[in-house]
């Protein structure tokens, strides 16, 4: 299982899948932390939203490049279906953790270099709450992007359309609810990607509220994961 995960990373490095996300990451960090004063909590929340979209893009590009013959060979060498799917998820999770670590530690490093660039003093709890939110949003984005797998939605155009629509509505649901309360049901079927803004007061995180949002995001990701794995095991391979 670990060897297959390593193999996936070797193939990923040789491909161009990460080129655009890495360029976007560098551009985002440069734009975000160029202007002072920088709001502490908002910078972490925006980083979480950014990673949400980036992981959707990465996971959809990876599953779009999966070849059925190659994947069946990997499944054969895994000797069990569970090992095969764990290697897939572990591969994506490691990517998510790397991006999350960069987005969470970069502002902390900037703060240590020049404290005057931020609107207030940055504390460990800010990095902990902000980093956890970034990681959880990344995991949700990873699962949503991977859910629109070619074996689940065969037409790539439809998969991209649904993923784009889902992610945009997830970000704009508060505006829709304010426009018409009938859209309140979106709170129950969409991930709480921007809910962290409701847990911020005077640029400070509400620790209890952020913990609930973190757990909500993880539960949401697990539900998507289980549903996705069920569909993938049912549909098997395309050829």
């Amino acid at each position: 299982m670990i060897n297959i995960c390593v193999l996936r990373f070797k193939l990923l490095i040789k491909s161009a899948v990460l080129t655009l996300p890495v360029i976007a990451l560098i551009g985002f960090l440069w734009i975000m932390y160029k202007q002072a004063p920088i709001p502490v909590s908002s910078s972490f929340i925006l980083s979480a939203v950014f990673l949400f979209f980036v992981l959707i893009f990465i996971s959809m590009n990876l599953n779009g490049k999966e070849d059925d013959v190659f994947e069946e060979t990997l499944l054969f060498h895994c000797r069990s279906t569970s090992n095969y799917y764990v290697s897939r998820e572990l591969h994506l999770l490691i990517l998510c953790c790397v991006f999350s670590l960069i987005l969470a530690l970069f502002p902390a490093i900037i703060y240590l270099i020049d404290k005057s660039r931020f609107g207030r003093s940055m504390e460990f709890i800010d990095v902990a709450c902000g980093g956890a939110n970034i990681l959880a949003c990344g995991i949700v984005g990873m699962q949503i992007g991977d859910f629109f797998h070619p074996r689940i939605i065969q037409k790539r155009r439809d998969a991209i359309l649904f993923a784009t629509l889902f992610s945009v509505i997830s970000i704009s649901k508060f505006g829709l609810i304010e426009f018409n309360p009938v859209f309140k049901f979106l709170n129950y079927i969409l991930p709480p990607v921007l809910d962290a803004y409701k847990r911020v007061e005077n640029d400070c995180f509400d620790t209890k509220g952020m913990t609930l949002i973190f757990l909500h995001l993880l539960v949401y990701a697990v539900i998507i994961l289980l549903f996705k794995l069920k569909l993938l095991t049912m549909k098997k391979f395309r050829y």
Side-chain angles (χ1 to χ4, degrees), residues 93-106:
L93 183 60
I94 292 174
L95 274 177
C96 179
C97 289
V98 171
F99 275 83
S100 299
L101 197 62
I102 294 172
L103 287 168
L105 293 183
F106 189 83

Side-chain angles (χ1 to χ4, degrees), residues 67-83:
D67 177 78
D68 282 0
V69 176
F70 180 71
E71 293 298 318
E72 286 181 286
T73 305
L74 292 183
L75 180 59
F76 174 76
H77 284 288
C78 277
R79 299 180 181 177
S80 71
T81 304
S82 59
N83 285 343

Side-chain angles (χ1 to χ4, degrees), residues 128-142:
C129 288
N133 188 53
I134 291 172
L135 177 62
C137 284
I139 292 175
V140 170
M142 173 186 80

Side-chain angles (χ1 to χ4, degrees), residues 26-229:
I26 295 172
F28 174 81
L29 292 175
W30 182 75
I31 294 172
M32 173 66 72
Y33 298 103
K34 179 183 178 182
Q35 300 291 334
I38 304 166
V40 175
S41 58
S42 296
S43 64
F44 282 108
I45 296 173
L46 285 176
S47 296
V49 175
F50 169 77
L51 189 61
F52 173 73
F53 283 103
V54 167
L55 263 296
I56 290 177
F57 176 84
I58 291 177
S59 56
M60 288 196 70
N61 270 273
L62 287 175
N63 64 39
K65 293 180 180 295
E66 285 184 353
D67 177 78
D68 282 0
V69 176
F70 180 71
E71 293 298 318
E72 286 181 286
T73 305
L74 292 183
L75 180 59
F76 174 76
H77 284 288
C78 277
R79 299 180 181 177
S80 71
T81 304
S82 59
N83 285 343
Y84 167 77
Y85 284 112
V86 168
S87 69
R88 273 187 93 256
E89 299 304 320
L90 187 61
H91 172 228
L92 290 170
L93 183 60
I94 292 174
L95 274 177
C96 179
C97 289
V98 171
F99 275 83
S100 299
L101 197 62
I102 294 172
L103 287 168
L105 293 183
F106 189 83
I109 294 172
I110 295 296
Y111 178 77
L112 292 176
I113 295 174
D114 185 4
K115 297 180 180 181
S116 63
R117 294 187 61 83
F118 289 84
R120 64 171 177 84
S121 298
M122 184 182 296
E123 301 176 1
F124 174 76
I125 193 64
D126 297 314
V127 180
C129 288
N133 188 53
I134 291 172
L135 177 62
C137 284
I139 292 175
V140 170
M142 173 186 80
Q143 292 302 331
I144 290 174
D146 201 35
F147 180 81
F148 297 101
H149 193 283
R151 280 156 55 193
I152 297 175
I153 300 179
Q154 295 183 356
K155 290 185 178 180
R156 200 60 180 163
R157 179 191 60 189
D158 294 341
I160 295 173
L161 178 62
F162 289 143
T164 303
L165 184 62
F166 188 93
S167 56
V168 169
I169 295 178
S170 296
I171 299 300
S172 59
K173 67 176 182 179
F174 291 128
L176 292 173
I177 292 172
E178 289 181 3
F179 175 74
N180 194 328
V182 74
F183 290 110
K184 282 186 177 180
F185 72 92
L186 294 175
N187 284 324
Y188 303 100
I189 62 175
L190 296 176
V193 180
L194 277 180
D195 288 36
Y197 273 115
K198 292 186 174 182
R199 302 296 181 176
V200 172
E201 186 175 352
N202 297 324
D203 199 24
C204 294
F205 285 114
D206 173 13
T207 307
K208 182 179 178 180
M210 292 300 295
T211 302
L212 293 176
I213 291 174
F214 176 75
L215 294 175
H216 186 177
L217 286 165
L218 289 187
V219 170
Y220 191 93
V222 170
I223 293 173
I224 296 294
L225 169 64
L226 295 176
F227 191 37
K228 176 192 70 178
L229 292 179

